[in-house]
Amino acid sequence: MSVGREPPPAVAALFPAAAERERIDDLVTRALSASAGRAARGPVMPALDMARFRAELETFDFTSPQSLESLIGWVTTQLEHGVVHMNNPRYFGLFNPGANFPAQVADRISGAFNPQLASSGSSPAPVAIEAHVVRAIAQRAGLPPDSSGHFTTAGSEANYTALLCALTRAAPGFAADGVRAFAGAPVMYTSRECQPAWFKIAHQAGIGRRALKLVPTDGRGELDCAALEDMVARDRAAGEVPVLVSATAGTTGGGMIDPLARCAAIAREAGAWYHVDAAWGGAALCSPRLRSVLAGIELADSLTIDAHKWFATTMGCGMFITRYPAVLSETFRVAADFMPSTVTALDPYLNTVQWSRRFMGLRLFLSLAAAGWAGYAAHVERAVDVIAIVKERLLARGWQALNDSQLAVLCVAPPPGFPPIREIARRMLASGRAWVAVTTFAGREALRICATHGEISGQDIEVLVESLSAAGAAQ
Ligand SMILES: Cc1ncc(COP(=O)(O)O)c(C=O)c1O
């Protein structure tokens, strides 16, 4: 059979031959491994001369193509010196983990297949894998067997989804008329220690930032339930409509857990959707030793859990889970006859904020399948033990613990005579020896130390404690 005229050849720089791909893949593997080793031993802070870097960056005008091999060398070097290293076990920082290895492998695999996760029609196996993992986490949390959910770009998207579901359930007219469907202004409640993305979420969802009602805490960083009850009663009397109560299980600053069961009862009584933001703390579900600290999570209408936090997957792997799949489907319903499938209960484009989607869930699937619940239990328990040791060591040197988290975050104030907290943090970061954050916990400024890395050693703890003392010494 004659094939007629051939199209022009494929662009080799974009689609090299298989042998060249393998050569480059091997090269990337070795470059990353060497770089990770150096990053783990070197300074936590970026050491890049940004002026020089920007000047180099300007030379990329994309007119003359360069070899991928040299570009890989350039990029890995810039990243090795141009980021705060979450891969360094002395990063005692925000909830950004050193990524676990199965998740890194997952990214490579999903990058190679590049499946479109919008629909089960185009990606039957990946969509089924994601749904399976979400169900497993839902069951672990004690939600009913027919609960569902999906992977999100992050915790913020999952929390946004919770507010949209809450609004959709609260007023049948919300889908068509937005907040105009409510008899009074819809409002939501979460504690003052909440993650501040909630302000953006209230804005995005159209209820407005003033509709986010911040409930005082009890002095220990947990939501004050009596205050919540009072606020709800007052707002209802004023004609406002409580649509959502979000309790936090593992606050960003202090790792505190709101009274989950009491918050559930108050939300029910108010007719509001009950969400638990367990973006970081949710991983404690894996541990029989820690599970009880999350008692009451099973009462949630929906949950946020980020795999890219304590589950230590690569970035951008949140989860939204709900006991009301029908509300989720109603919230994101749409007709699109060009899509390869229309399975209301399953297709991600019919149940999520996103349309085109990456295979994010493979990261948690591979990690969970490789480590098992027991592996993850050991991982989270280890982090809690690390923080217990740090606490013991710092208290012995006169530091004061401000929080009493059952998870793996410690907020401390320095001994008398030390410089202000921000100055201690500045000196510490300038040394590049370890990374800690400054936070405000229960109204007081504190240094926040979190065990985010899965390989923190006794020596790393030693360096942290010594560096904090050195940062506090007169200069
Ligand atoms: C309790 C809590 N909720 C939500 C978020 C937001 O998550 P993400 O950064 O994945 O959007 C965070 C982030 O630290 C958090 O600590």
Side-chain angles (χ1 to χ4, degrees):
M1 192 179 77
S2 155
V3 290
R5 198 160 69 88
E6 281 288 340
V11 178
L14 299 177
F15 305 100
E20 175 63 356
R21 290 181 192 215
E22 279 177 21
R23 188 183 74 79
I24 295 283
D25 266 347
D26 287 350
L27 193 140
V28 169
T29 300
R30 283 194 303 278
L32 291 182
S33 174
S35 175
R38 287 191 296 271
R41 292 186 300 273
V44 186
M45 289 298 283
L48 202 60
D49 174 345
M50 282 305 288
R52 220 180 88 190
F53 173 71
R54 283 196 193 92
E56 263 182 59
L57 198 53
E58 281 304 311
T59 67
F60 285 87
D61 60 2
F62 310 115
T63 48
S64 13
Q66 302 183 28
S67 84
L68 185 55
E69 189 168 338
S70 67
L71 289 168
I72 289 165
W74 186 79
V75 166
T76 45
T77 304
Q78 307 318 309
L79 285 183
E80 195 176 316
H81 301 290
V83 298
V84 173
H85 279 298
M86 279 98 207
N87 288 336
N88 185 313
R90 284 170 278 109
Y91 174 77
F92 290 90
L94 306 175
F95 297 140
N96 309 306
N100 75 50
F101 189 61
Q104 295 184 35
V105 171
D107 276 351
R108 207 155 163 174
I109 295 172
S110 74
F113 285 89
N114 198 29
Q116 166 58 284
L117 267 276
S119 78
S120 60
S122 39
S123 298
V127 169
I129 288 174
E130 288 201 341
H132 180 75
V133 176
V134 163
R135 265 196 310 274
I137 301 285
Q139 270 174 33
R140 197 85 190 171
L143 264 61
D146 57 349
S147 299
S148 80
H150 53 268
F151 281 87
T152 62
T153 50
S156 305
E157 182 192 325
N159 284 344
Y160 176 48
T161 303
L163 178 54
L164 294 180
C165 284
L167 288 162
T168 302
R169 188 185 69 170
F174 176 72
D177 299 323
V179 290
R180 292 183 301 269
F182 285 88
V187 291
M188 67 157 288
Y189 302 84
T190 189
S191 101
R192 270 187 200 156
E193 296 277 334
C194 74
Q195 212 274 349
W198 278 111
F199 287 97
K200 300 200 292 181
I201 290 167
H203 185 154
Q204 275 167 252
I207 62 172
R209 292 172 184 242
R210 256 193 297 139
L212 175 63
K213 308 272 180 160
L214 294 184
V215 184
T217 49
D218 61 357
R220 299 181 318 122
E222 295 174 13
L223 183 142
D224 178 343
C225 288
L228 173 62
E229 273 176 317
D230 287 350
M231 286 168 74
V232 167
R234 208 172 46 235
D235 294 345
R236 284 168 103 183
E240 293 181 332
V241 184
V243 291
L244 175 71
V245 172
S246 174
T248 311
T251 56
T252 313
M256 303 306 291
I257 299 168
D258 291 339
L260 301 182
R262 280 196 67 198
C263 288
I266 297 168
R268 297 270 176 278
E269 193 344 80
W273 183 277
Y274 179 47
H275 181 68
V276 175
D277 177 358
W280 174 66
L285 288 170
C286 301
S287 156
R289 190 181 110 194
L290 298 174
R291 173 66 180 84
S292 62
V293 305
L294 296 175
I297 197 169
E298 68 282 358
L299 302 169
D301 293 330
S302 61
L303 289 178
T304 288
I305 299 181
D306 276 351
H308 65 255
K309 290 193 165 68
W310 213 353
F311 282 96
T313 70
T314 45
M315 279 293 166
C317 196
M319 278 176 284
F320 176 78
I321 303 175
T322 180
R323 67 170 65 236
Y324 296 120
V327 177
L328 189 58
S329 299
E330 168 57 16
T331 303
F332 296 102
R333 86 183 135 80
V334 70
D337 54 12
F338 58 87
M339 290 299 283
S341 59
T342 311
V343 189
T344 306
L346 184 64
D347 278 342
Y349 80 100
L350 295 173
N351 290 280
T352 73
V353 170
Q354 299 173 54
W355 199 287
S356 285
R357 300 175 74 241
R358 186 179 167 82
F359 189 8
M360 295 173 273
L362 185 61
R363 299 161 180 168
L364 186 55
F365 174 77
L366 278 193
S367 311
L368 202 44
W373 297 114
Y376 266 118
H379 168 72
V380 293
E381 288 166 14
R382 180 183 204 282
V384 170
D385 293 345
V386 162
I387 287 301
I389 300 171
V390 172
K391 183 172 175 178
E392 197 182 287
R393 302 285 311 279
L394 286 176
L395 295 195
R397 286 169 177 244
W399 289 71
Q400 185 194 355
L402 302 183
N403 68 336
D404 188 17
S405 172
Q406 291 163 293
L407 305 176
V409 182
L410 177 65
C411 294
V412 282
F418 269 47
I421 281 173
R422 281 180 191 277
E423 176 58 15
I424 297 174
R426 193 196 62 73
R427 292 180 188 175
M428 175 91 172
L429 268 48
S431 79
R433 298 183 74 207
W435 201 101
V436 296
V438 175
T439 193
T440 304
F441 177 76
R444 274 187 73 180
E445 200 157 79
L447 276 177
R448 175 186 178 282
I449 300 164
C450 180
T452 58
H453 200 286
E455 299 167 284
I456 297 166
S457 66
Q459 179 64 29
D460 296 319
I461 295 173
E462 186 64 28
V463 170
L464 170 73
V465 171
E466 286 303 328
S467 312
L468 280 174
S469 303
Q475 297 210 329

